[in-house]
Amino acid sequence: HVQLVESGGGSVQAGRSLTLSCVLSGDAASSRAKGWFRQAPGEEREGVACISTLAGSTSYGDSVKGRFTISQDNAKSTVYLRMDSLKPEDTGLYYCAADTWQCGGSWLRGALPGRYWGQGTQVTVS
């Protein structure tokens, strides 16, 4: 049974930090790459960050580079997203994702087949 369960969202003031967690189970836990997307109301889903499960290499969307950090604890099948210097434009529903594709620019841009998704956790920055 595949599950991706996000937590850690909330409401914060601009400039503050927040850390999201995503616990993966089933086939998702052994995915080649894991990461985060976000979607603001009326906007398309945007790739935020991804990480390679084995190599630990990372890739970030341009809007979050230098502010967000993705990490993982493979023993716990968990991926994290630490968000610093939050801005109101970071507001949105943040989704955890995992699949067998390679983490990189294409992973963040594409709606790749076979991708697993979580239900999302809301982040509101004011």
Side-chain angles (χ1 to χ4, degrees), residues 85-108:
S85 303
L86 282 162
K87 305 175 181 180
E89 51 263 45
D90 294 318
T91 294
L93 191 59
Y94 282 69
Y95 296 92
C96 180
D99 56 41
T100 59
W101 301 94
Q102 182 175 344
C103 170
S106 295
W107 198 95
L108 293 173

Side-chain angles (χ1 to χ4, degrees), residues 26-89:
D27 287 345
S30 58
S31 294
R32 183 180 183 185
K34 305 180 289 287
W36 296 88
F37 286 77
R38 68 185 182 187
Q39 189 167 20
E43 302 289 333
E44 292 188 355
R45 192 170 293 188
E46 174 190 14
V48 176
C50 63
I51 186 166
S52 169
T53 299
L54 292 181
S57 55
T58 59
S59 187
Y60 294 90
D62 289 340
S63 61
V64 306
K65 282 181 182 176
R67 299 188 299 120
F68 290 13
T69 304
I70 189 169
S71 61
Q72 62 186 348
D73 184 336
N74 289 336
K76 296 181 179 180
S77 298
T78 302
V79 60
Y80 305 95
L81 183 69
R82 177 173 173 87
M83 305 181 291
D84 296 319
S85 303
L86 282 162
K87 305 175 181 180
E89 51 263 45

